[in-house]
Amino acid sequence: MAMGIDSRNRMAKRAAAEIKDSMIVNLGIGIPSLVSNHLPPSIDVMFHAENGILGMGKSPEKGEEDPNLCNAAGFPVTIVPGGSFFDSATAFGMIRSGYLDISILGGLEVSEQGDLANWIVPGKRVSGIGGAMELAKKAKIVIVLMNHTNKNGKPKILKECTMPLTAKRCVNLIITDMAVIDVTERGLVLKEVMAPYTINDVIENTASSLLLSNNVTTIT
């Protein structure tokens, strides 16, 4: 299922609502990179990047990009007051030491146990897993942003992942173009639905057990 920019921004905005003041947050490639554009000015956050930045700001306006400032995916970024630069070894040391409050990642598949597959499609060539496994296992909270279904309309939330895993039992929250789902010890809990979809739409497009929260709300 294709996803327009409005849908991606709605997902990013919902993920931004999980970020609290004074957190250190890492944003993955794709939809997660939009999250910093949806934070209110009152929230003081330090965004971290594996290529050696702490303190990324919003995406620069067109024509105001600095070729020397980019995130781990190579896209231009801005720097907030107090931001700092360091080598990638230090950046990964921060991740592995557990300093990240939230890691927001893209996903190919998520299982009902919270297993994550997000680094390779079998048969496709990629440069490697990169920092995905460290980000998935060492951040205090892991949020996955992804389409609810793949390009063939098949569910991406499954009983068991079919693609190579990035990490096991690492995901805390799933945000898709259809829903917001908590990963709990009891299983997956549907807590919010993205309009115009319904609870039944989400259930029909999820290939795992799905519990309903006491008050499923709708995001318009």
Side-chain angles (χ1 to χ4, degrees):
M1 182 178 295
M3 190 164 30
I5 187 64
D6 289 343
S7 182
R8 294 196 295 270
N9 274 304
R10 183 163 63 164
M11 292 165 59
K13 183 178 180 179
R14 177 59 185 84
E18 296 294 314
I19 299 173
K20 309 305 179 189
D21 203 45
S22 302
M23 281 185 166
I24 297 176
V25 180
N26 184 284
L27 302 178
I29 297 170
I31 304 169
S33 66
L34 301 173
V35 171
S36 60
N37 297 334
H38 297 279
L39 278 181
S42 58
I43 298 293
D44 183 17
V45 175
M46 282 291 181
F47 285 108
H48 170 279
E50 303 98 296
N51 59 325
I53 302 175
L54 185 63
M56 290 188 298
K58 292 183 178 181
S59 301
E61 297 293 332
K62 188 172 177 134
E64 296 183 6
E65 301 90 345
D66 183 336
N68 295 308
L69 295 179
C70 65
N71 59 21
F75 294 107
V77 296
T78 58
I79 303 298
V80 301
S84 57
F85 304 93
F86 32 83
D87 60 29
S88 60
T90 301
F92 275 92
M94 291 177 179
I95 299 169
R96 293 167 182 167
S97 298
Y99 287 113
L100 295 186
D101 294 295
I102 298 179
S103 176
I104 303 179
L105 300 167
L108 296 170
E109 294 177 344
V110 177
S111 78
E112 63 184 10
Q113 295 82 29
D115 303 333
L116 172 65
N118 80 339
W119 74 280
I120 189 172
V121 175
K124 297 285 183 72
R125 294 184 63 184
V126 297
S127 57
I129 195 168
M133 59 185 175
E134 281 98 344
L135 291 167
K137 289 301 290 185
K138 301 303 290 188
K140 297 181 180 74
I141 297 172
V142 174
I143 299 173
V144 171
L145 302 186
M146 65 180 188
N147 287 20
H148 206 92
T149 60
N150 64 25
K151 64 182 180 180
N152 297 316
K154 300 297 184 183
K156 295 174 65 173
I157 301 175
L158 311 167
K159 286 188 176 295
E160 300 285 345
C161 293
T162 63
M163 295 184 182
L165 293 184
T166 303
K168 290 186 175 182
R169 297 182 178 270
C170 61
V171 180
N172 301 101
L173 184 68
I174 307 166
I175 300 174
T176 75
D177 54 323
M178 287 189 182
V180 179
I181 298 171
D182 268 329
V183 183
T184 74
E185 290 297 324
R186 297 186 297 130
L188 300 181
V189 179
L190 176 62
K191 57 187 293 188
E192 298 166 32
V193 173
M194 299 276 195
Y197 297 106
T198 65
I199 292 175
N200 284 339
D201 289 331
V202 177
I203 293 172
E204 289 173 3
N205 287 280
T206 303
S208 68
S209 301
L210 197 59
L211 304 171
L212 302 183
S213 71
N214 292 331
N215 182 28
V216 180
T217 59
T218 299
I219 300 174
T220 58

